[in-house]
């Protein structure tokens, strides 16, 4: 019987240098996409997938991220006195129950694999999810929930994947496909950022993983890989060679790379347009901006 996936690791130790100077004083993960910080989208997705234990791998300067999930009695009381029940309900979705969330420090930036490895003592012999908050996914059914449902059939290890154009494969880890079964593909290899024209497929890995405890065992043995960092893909590659139980999952939804400025802006437009309370006014504004730009040209 397969064990349920109830724990998730959130690697949030990065400095967010692409968003300086904003990230000089605030963690990138609490930058707001419309009216919710990036990390809230990741937490909501994890909750929808049945995650009960949330493990954050952080670094110095991330105290605002920790405070975000704490209760705010003064603010809650103020909203309650003013009868702002809708805002109070929204605020409560940001609270985490005592014991549900844990923080681990990554003292040196040694890569994604190292960040995941830092959480090893909070995991037992059980599968776990990894969620990269930079990847925000708009989907009717949250991405990780789709993966959990597929994982219940396959077991093993699963990575979220999406088809990308040929000229974009060099920016991703790309799957070497053994068998394509539609939404699920079995994997015989992974190539990290292949040279242009050398990618084994167009199926790129993005920031959602369901991993077996064997991957953590592999991370225990790996020293360093590309760029002097401990690569999570190296540990997954060992699973491919030793157990042949790694799958790619084509999720249904649209992924935004909110680790880049362009991706963050694209996500802001998409999520703003999806909001009933913002759509009409925002659409009128965008039409005016585009019309003015076309007239100027």
């Amino acid at each position: 019987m397969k064990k349920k996936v109830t724990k998730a690791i959130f690697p949030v130790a990065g400095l967010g240098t692409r968003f300086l100077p904003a990230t000089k004083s605030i963690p990138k993960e609490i930058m707001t996409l419309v009216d919710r910080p990036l990390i809230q989208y990741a937490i909501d997705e994890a909750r929808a997938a049945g995650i009960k234990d949330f493990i954050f791998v952080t670094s110095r300067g991330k105290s605002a991220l920790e405070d975000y999930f704490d209760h705010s009695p003064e603010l809650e009381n103020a909203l309650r006195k003013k009868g702002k029940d809708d805002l109070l309900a929204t605020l409560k979705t940001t609270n985490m129950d005592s014991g549900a969330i844990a923080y681990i420090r990554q003292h040196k930036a040694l890569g994604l694999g190292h960040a995941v490895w830092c959480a090893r003592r909070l995991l037992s012999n059980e599968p776990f999810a990894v969620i990269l908050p930079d990847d925000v996914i708009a989907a009717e059914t949250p991405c990780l929930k789709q993966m959990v449902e597929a994982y219940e059939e396959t077991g093993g290890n699963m990575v979220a994947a999406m088809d990308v154009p040929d000229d974009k494969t060099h920016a991703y880890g790309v799957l070497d496909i053994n068998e394509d079964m539609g939404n699920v593909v079995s994997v015989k290899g992974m190539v990290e950022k292949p040279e242009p024209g050398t990618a084994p497929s167009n199926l790129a890995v993005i920031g959602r993983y369901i991993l077996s405890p064997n991957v953590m065992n592999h991370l225990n043995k790996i020293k360093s890989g590309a760029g002097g960092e401990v690569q999570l893909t190296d540990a997954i590659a060992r699973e491919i060679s030793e157990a042949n139980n790694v799958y790619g999952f084509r999720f249904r939804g649209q992924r935004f790379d909110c680790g880049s400025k362009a991706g963050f802006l694209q996500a802001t437009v998409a999520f703003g347009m999806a909001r009933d309370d913002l759509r009409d006014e925002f659409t009128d504004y965008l039409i005016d901006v585009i019309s003015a730009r076309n007239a100027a040209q």
Side-chain angles (χ1 to χ4, degrees):
M1 182 178 178
K2 300 183 188 72
K3 293 184 178 179
K4 289 186 175 297
V5 183
T6 61
K7 294 184 178 181
I9 299 172
F10 299 80
V12 291
L15 297 176
T17 53
R18 284 188 285 181
F19 283 91
L20 284 170
T23 49
K24 177 183 178 181
S25 60
I26 62 170
K28 175 184 60 179
E29 296 80 16
I30 60 172
M31 290 178 60
T32 53
L33 180 56
V34 186
D35 56 5
R36 287 194 293 165
L38 292 177
I39 194 62
Q40 186 68 54
Y41 290 90
I43 288 290
D44 290 345
E45 182 179 329
R47 283 171 167 164
I51 298 299
K52 304 298 182 185
D53 298 309
F54 305 81
I55 304 168
F56 287 79
V57 182
T58 68
S59 60
R60 293 184 300 277
K62 298 283 184 172
S63 59
L65 176 64
E66 299 179 17
D67 290 342
Y68 174 77
F69 291 110
D70 205 350
H71 287 255
S72 180
E74 297 85 358
L75 180 55
E76 291 175 12
N77 288 335
L79 293 174
R80 193 175 292 110
K81 288 178 181 179
K82 294 179 179 180
K84 296 184 177 181
D85 295 336
D86 54 341
L87 290 178
L88 186 62
T90 298
L91 188 64
K92 286 184 176 180
T93 65
T94 70
N95 297 339
M96 301 290 285
D97 294 334
S98 297
I101 192 166
Y103 300 96
I104 301 292
R105 281 287 181 96
Q106 184 185 25
H107 296 297
K108 294 182 180 180
L110 296 177
L112 177 58
H114 181 262
V116 171
W117 177 82
C118 287
R120 65 198 182 282
R121 291 191 177 91
L122 296 181
L123 300 169
S124 56
N125 189 34
E126 59 191 321
F128 59 96
V130 177
I131 299 179
L132 306 188
D134 279 357
D135 283 332
V136 177
I137 300 171
E140 185 173 344
T141 300
C143 179
L144 189 62
K145 183 176 182 180
Q146 296 178 43
M147 292 177 67
V148 166
E149 292 171 352
Y151 168 81
E152 290 173 353
E153 299 295 326
T154 65
N157 302 269
M158 182 170 286
V159 299
M162 66 180 189
D163 291 293
V164 300
D166 289 339
D167 62 350
K168 300 292 185 183
T169 54
H170 69 278
Y172 297 89
V174 178
L175 299 179
D176 191 356
I177 298 171
N178 180 46
E179 183 181 1
D180 193 328
M181 299 167 280
N183 287 341
V184 176
V185 302
S186 62
V187 177
K188 61 181 179 181
M190 296 176 66
V191 181
E192 187 66 27
K193 296 183 179 179
E195 292 294 326
T198 67
S201 75
N202 291 84
L203 200 55
V205 177
I206 62 101
R208 301 291 186 274
Y209 307 80
I210 297 176
L211 302 174
S212 74
N214 287 336
V215 169
M216 195 65 78
N217 294 333
H218 297 318
L219 288 172
N220 282 330
K221 302 171 185 176
I222 292 174
K223 300 300 181 182
S224 62
E229 298 182 338
V230 178
Q231 301 293 338
L232 183 60
T233 51
D234 289 345
I236 296 173
R238 291 194 180 188
E239 271 293 89
I240 295 172
S241 62
E242 293 181 10
N244 193 31
N245 65 351
V246 176
Y247 301 89
F249 179 76
R250 289 188 178 97
F251 60 91
R252 301 178 300 279
Q254 184 176 7
R255 174 255 190 179
F256 298 93
D257 177 13
C258 289
S260 72
K261 293 174 185 176
F264 194 94
L265 291 171
Q266 291 162 11
T268 299
V269 172
F271 279 81
M273 295 285 285
R275 287 272 295 264
D276 291 340
D277 59 330
L278 299 174
R279 183 183 302 113
D280 291 344
E281 183 178 354
F282 194 30
T283 299
D284 290 343
Y285 171 74
L286 292 176
I287 291 172
D288 289 344
V289 168
I290 293 171
S291 297
R293 181 177 179 181
N294 289 339
Q297 293 176 346

